[in-house]
Amino acid sequence: GYVVGGVNRFNGKLNPGEYYLFKTDSLFNWEWLKKFGQTTTSYPQMYFLEQPGEGYFFACFRSDTPIVVSGHSSAYSGYHHIGFMDTGFNIVKDTIFSIILAQYGTSNYYWKSQGVVRGIAFSHNGNFVVADAIGYNGANIMQLDSNLHLIWRRWLAYYPIWEERPYKMRAAHDGGYLIVGMTMVVGAGGWFVKTDTLGCALPNCADTLYHIGIETVERGRQEVFVYPNPTRDYLTIRTKDNSTLPPGTLLIFNMQGSLQK
């Protein structure tokens, strides 16, 4: 038979919908329907990872409880919902949480990991890893054990701009993770990053992504363009108005994250 999932939107686009799964037999005869709480996403953000013969780890974006923004105005704040389902897709154990990553500006606003899931995969040590998007501000990767305890988490961002959006994540053959995404920085385009088994993209877990296209770096009011990136033989560095580059240090890393001398 078949299991199909999605998000209903019967209450209108701006109101929360519900995750659902329904099961049919091989002739598409209806068998059952299950719902899994509210979400404000406009498309499914629930990922499954099969543990053969036992069930499924799952991770999704939930937003059930509204918060007051100002006066009587309210909005829905998202959070992670991660757990394990049996072979009949019944939740056996689960946990909900959000992670505050950093404060921005002078107000009480924070970059948060809220559960906009972009991938789930088994780790080399038998645990599992979830990747999610932090708005336009980076990829959050975290490893959990089978009891849903957080082991580690990493924030991959193009420091200091933090305008990245991951789209897909899967395990690599050597125990690391492959992630692809795009940047909201004009001219930089898409990116691909390979992490190690601890979710680090570069030595010491530096906040860095490899961009495909043109890299834009702001130095004060001066924009510096670096391309192509990655490159094999030649690298062009120029300013927007072809003025003289300010004093500084240029560090070049290879695709394995080693500093080139």
Side-chain angles (χ1 to χ4, degrees), residues 156-159 164 179-183 188-195 200-203 206-215 229-231 251-260:
L156 292 179
Y158 174 37
Y159 181 84
E164 312 302 328
I179 307 171
V180 294
M182 65 173 290
T183 180
W191 53 261
F192 164 82
V193 66
K194 165 71 170 61
T195 78
C200 300
L202 286 176
D207 283 337
T208 303
L209 290 173
Y210 297 116
H211 282 86
I212 302 169
I214 299 175
E215 194 106 19
N229 183 20
T231 185
L251 301 178
I252 299 177
F253 296 85
N254 65 18
M255 292 299 287
Q256 287 70 47
S258 299
L259 179 64
Q260 303 300 286

Side-chain angles (χ1 to χ4, degrees), residues 45-260:
Q45 287 285 8
M46 179 178 284
Y47 281 66
F48 291 92
L49 185 62
E50 183 177 9
Q51 189 85 296
E54 298 182 28
Y56 308 86
F57 289 103
F58 72 91
C60 66
F61 172 77
R62 289 281 296 275
S63 46
D64 296 73
T65 306
I67 58 174
V68 175
V69 178
S70 62
H72 297 288
S73 176
S74 63
Y76 288 83
S77 180
Y79 56 88
H80 284 280
H81 185 194
I82 296 176
F84 188 79
M85 297 179 179
D86 61 21
T87 54
F89 294 93
N90 302 299
I91 296 177
V92 176
K93 54 186 174 182
D94 62 347
T95 184
I96 59 175
F97 61 90
S98 62
I99 300 174
I100 294 177
L101 298 167
Q103 185 174 5
Y104 66 91
T106 57
S107 58
N108 293 321
Y109 291 98
Y110 300 87
W111 301 132
K112 294 175 65 178
S113 168
Q114 297 178 314
V116 183
V117 185
R118 297 301 190 187
I120 182 171
F122 282 115
S123 59
H124 71 290
N125 56 5
N127 297 318
F128 68 101
V129 170
V130 175
D132 66 289
I134 312 168
Y136 294 122
N137 307 105
N140 181 60
I141 313 171
M142 54 190 174
Q143 184 180 122
L144 299 93
D145 64 20
S146 59
N147 292 316
L148 311 181
H149 296 140
L150 183 65
I151 299 173
W152 54 253
R153 64 178 178 84
R154 304 284 180 255
W155 182 16
L156 292 179
Y158 174 37
Y159 181 84
I161 299 177
W162 299 337
E163 293 192 8
E164 312 302 328
R165 172 170 286 186
Y167 276 95
K168 294 289 183 181
M169 185 273 299
R170 70 175 178 86
H173 66 86
D174 62 354
Y177 306 95
L178 302 171
I179 307 171
V180 294
M182 65 173 290
T183 180
M184 305 307 291
V185 179
V186 176
W191 53 261
F192 164 82
V193 66
K194 165 71 170 61
T195 78
D196 61 16
T197 57
L198 295 177
C200 300
L202 286 176
N204 301 318
C205 285
D207 283 337
T208 303
L209 290 173
Y210 297 116
H211 282 86
I212 302 169
I214 299 175
E215 194 106 19
T216 307
V217 181
E218 292 188 14
R219 299 184 62 90
R221 295 184 178 180
Q222 188 174 32
E223 288 186 318
V224 179
F225 297 90
V226 182
Y227 59 91
N229 183 20
T231 185
R232 180 180 298 274
D233 298 312
Y234 300 99
L235 185 68
T236 299
I237 303 172
R238 67 174 181 83
T239 59
K240 185 175 182 178
D241 55 3
N242 292 320
S243 59
T244 303
L245 283 170
T249 301
L250 176 67
L251 301 178
I252 299 177
F253 296 85
N254 65 18
M255 292 299 287
Q256 287 70 47
S258 299
L259 179 64
Q260 303 300 286

